[in-house]
Amino acid sequence: MLLTADTVVTGPDVLRPGWIETSGDGVRAVGTGAPPRPADHELGPVTVIPGFVDTHVHGGGGAEFAQASDAATEAAVQVHRAHGTTAIVASVVTAAPDDLLRQVRHLAGQVRAGILDGIHLEGPWLSTLRCGAHDPALMRDPDPAEIDRLLDAGAGAVRMVTIAPERPGALDAIRRFADAGVVVAVGHTEATYARTLEAVEAGATVGTHLFNAMRPIDRREPGPVVALLEHPAVTVEVITDGVHVAPAIYRHVVRSAGPGRVSLITDAMAATGMSDGTYRLGGLAVDVAGGVARVAGTETIAGSTATMDRVFRYALAHCGLPPEPALHLAVEQSSLNPARALGLSIGLSAGAPADLVVLDAGHAVTAVLRRGRWVVAP
């Protein structure tokens, strides 16, 4: 299939005009100017970018991945695919050992089937002081036997884990996961600056939703935020949904870490794509009002109701750059950086997966191609 468009952003380059040729589920060639043959789809005055990569998403369409059912995964995936997310790493929250093992076994099958791109265990090895929308009664110290059971159940599908490095046994757990090829993130943590750097030296390479559920910066104890921003080996997640961080904080993170070390995520929960009401995140009830999710009866934010196109447009609007550099930045942070941080393949180049999003003049999604097939047809 050959596609042409007025603008194609491959990742590093902007082609005006541009063309993309796919073969099966991959990209055969990309170029600028006149295409090598008549196009199958002349997309016209649109912008084509690589598919969005969401490395931290709990659900959508009224369902959550932690339900560990085919129907729940299908409902959640459909919502996010329609908004341009072509790679999804299913996140599950803190759960009891048997429940977590069941979730991993089921989701691993969906990874092998190509529906999901990995599993993210956001817990249970977190700080009860920074529990957020996790049940603190189910949090626990890392246990080597449990870790081995989860790795065996995942059979390579567990792609990322979030750990609070101050918990007893956490540094050994970080090393165990890193040795197994799992990306380790620091999050939901009360760790000191020094302890966070120890975690990075042990193998942690991601900061889970920076600033949220994390010890704040103090003038004499910088804490995890500064440590994660400073270390060149760390990619930091930011939820740019207009709720979790202020625009100035987003710009500060980009300036501090550099554009290549920031990943935009949704942290989306079951209410994504749905109306306001009461939902669940793990074992906790969540009230959604005005599109903002909070643990029932509290002011604690419980994930988001955002999709990747929304966080992409937020970055465009609030990064403080002119239009073309802003487009480069938003593509980098919503596609290339998260893929690189988790070892996924993305980008519009020969040999890459045929994953792309078509945007109109207002950067709304008008078409989505995943693995060479239209999820949303132009």
Side-chain angles (χ1 to χ4, degrees):
M1 178 169 61
L2 185 67
L3 312 173
T4 62
D6 285 7
T7 302
V8 174
V9 182
T10 65
D13 300 313
V14 177
L15 312 178
R16 290 196 176 99
W19 55 266
I20 303 159
E21 187 176 19
T22 69
S23 177
D25 62 0
V27 176
R28 174 180 287 173
V30 179
T32 189
R37 60 178 176 83
D40 297 293
H41 294 277
E42 294 183 354
L43 300 174
V46 298
T47 298
V48 177
I49 64 172
F52 298 130
V53 178
D54 196 351
T55 59
H56 192 148
V57 50
H58 295 278
E64 57 178 338
F65 295 117
Q67 290 173 248
S69 74
D70 291 346
T73 295
E74 182 180 0
V77 166
Q78 282 185 349
V79 168
H80 292 285
R81 291 265 193 270
H83 288 270
T85 303
T86 56
I88 294 172
V89 176
S91 299
V92 295
V93 295
T94 296
D98 288 346
D99 290 336
L100 190 60
L101 194 62
R102 174 181 56 82
Q103 292 164 6
V104 168
R105 282 180 177 145
H106 186 84
L107 293 171
Q110 295 173 321
V111 173
R112 289 191 291 272
I115 301 166
L116 300 172
D117 296 86
I119 304 167
H120 167 210
L121 305 180
E122 192 186 10
W125 313 291
L126 310 177
S127 166
T128 56
L129 295 175
R130 301 288 172 186
C131 60
H134 293 245
D135 186 347
L138 296 176
M139 291 178 178
R140 48 197 182 270
D141 296 333
D143 172 60
E146 181 182 21
I147 290 172
D148 286 343
R149 286 193 297 271
L150 290 167
L151 289 173
D152 288 344
V158 176
R159 193 167 285 275
M160 183 165 72
V161 300
T162 294
I163 295 178
E166 70 272 22
R167 292 204 77 114
L171 296 184
D172 287 339
I174 291 170
R175 296 185 189 100
R176 173 71 182 94
F177 278 119
D179 288 345
V182 177
V183 174
V184 180
V186 172
H188 286 270
T189 179
E190 187 66 11
T192 63
Y193 174 87
R195 186 66 166 185
T196 304
L197 290 182
E198 287 184 81
V200 176
E201 293 305 316
T205 57
V206 171
T208 295
H209 45 50
L210 198 72
F211 287 99
N212 294 107
M214 196 171 279
R215 181 179 186 155
I217 299 171
D218 180 82
R219 62 198 182 283
R220 282 187 282 272
E221 174 44 72
V225 172
V226 174
L228 295 167
L229 283 173
E230 281 188 341
H231 204 290
V234 174
T235 298
V236 293
E237 298 178 347
V238 185
I239 311 171
T240 51
D241 63 341
V243 176
H244 282 76
V245 295
I249 290 294
Y250 167 61
R251 290 190 293 272
H252 173 73
V253 169
V254 175
R255 287 194 301 268
S256 297
R261 290 180 43 220
V262 178
S263 286
L264 307 184
I265 60 166
T266 63
D267 199 11
M269 47 85 68
T272 303
M274 305 291 284
S275 58
D276 288 354
T278 299
Y279 298 85
R280 299 199 73 78
L281 182 57
L284 300 181
V286 175
D287 291 334
V288 178
V292 179
R294 290 186 170 88
V295 176
T298 77
E299 290 300 312
T300 300
I301 297 174
S304 86
T305 60
T307 48
M308 282 299 294
D309 56 336
R310 175 174 154 190
V311 301
F312 172 87
R313 287 192 295 270
Y314 184 100
L316 280 174
H318 295 289
C319 66
L321 298 175
E324 186 149 320
L327 182 61
H328 267 291
L329 180 77
V331 168
E332 188 174 20
Q333 294 180 351
S334 61
S335 297
L336 308 184
N337 293 350
R340 183 169 54 248
L342 267 67
L344 301 170
S345 180
I346 198 71
L348 296 179
S349 61
D355 293 354
L356 59 84
V357 179
V358 181
L359 305 173
D360 66 14
H363 298 106
V365 173
T366 61
V368 181
L369 188 77
R370 181 178 187 269
R371 303 300 191 265
R373 296 188 176 187
W374 292 110
V375 176
V376 179

